[in-house]
Amino acid sequence: MFRKPKQTIAPLPKPPTEAQMLEDLQLFHETRPPMKHAVDETIPTLSEESSMDDWWKTFEISLQHHEQFQSLMSNVDLLKKTLQQTQDELQAACEEIQSQIDQDLEKLRATMKD
């Protein structure tokens, strides 16, 4: 009558230890690709005596940097939206699990009263 029911859901994984987190952090720093610097060594220093070619070269490089920045910003916005959706899904799942727990507790209390 009071047998323990078989576990139908896999147990939650154990949280990582501090050492594992530090190791992951170290691996992240070692394996991430190097960042491209926005400052290019080939950008000429402009002055009033600079040639028109130097001005155009500076303009084109600045335009490329701006396009890279815009691309990065759109990627960041996309990641923000994805993160928000994932957070919403996790919140909904948490609420559903809590609701199931509350229902199970109510059934258990009703069973215990009888």
Side-chain angles (χ1 to χ4, degrees):
M1 179 176 180
F2 289 107
R3 280 191 279 168
K4 189 174 184 180
K6 291 182 180 178
Q7 189 172 5
T8 58
I9 301 174
L12 294 175
K14 294 181 181 178
T17 64
E18 184 179 350
Q20 289 171 327
M21 288 188 279
L22 290 174
E23 180 183 353
D24 287 346
L25 187 60
Q26 182 65 32
L27 289 174
F28 170 76
H29 288 298
E30 291 175 0
T31 59
R32 72 177 177 177
M35 295 287 294
K36 292 181 181 178
H37 295 289
V39 178
D40 192 355
E41 297 297 327
T42 61
I43 296 177
T45 304
L46 297 176
S47 65
E48 290 189 24
E49 294 87 29
S50 297
S51 70
M52 186 63 78
D53 290 337
D54 290 341
W55 284 95
W56 276 112
K57 185 176 182 179
T58 302
F59 172 76
E60 289 171 355
I61 291 171
S62 299
L63 189 60
Q64 288 174 356
H65 290 171
H66 180 71
E67 289 170 353
Q68 289 174 352
F69 175 74
Q70 292 295 334
S71 174
L72 288 173
M73 289 302 295
S74 63
N75 287 343
V76 166
D77 288 340
L78 181 62
L79 288 172
K80 279 183 183 178
K81 289 177 184 175
T82 304
L83 183 62
Q84 184 63 45
Q85 289 174 348
T86 304
Q87 184 179 7
D88 293 343
E89 290 171 5
L90 286 172
Q91 185 65 34
C94 287
E95 290 171 0
E96 182 180 332
I97 290 169
Q98 186 63 48
S99 173
Q100 289 175 342
I101 289 171
D102 292 341
Q103 289 174 0
D104 290 345
L105 283 174
E106 287 300 319
K107 289 178 185 177
L108 185 61
R109 285 185 187 119
T111 303
M112 297 298 278
K113 286 182 182 180
D114 294 339

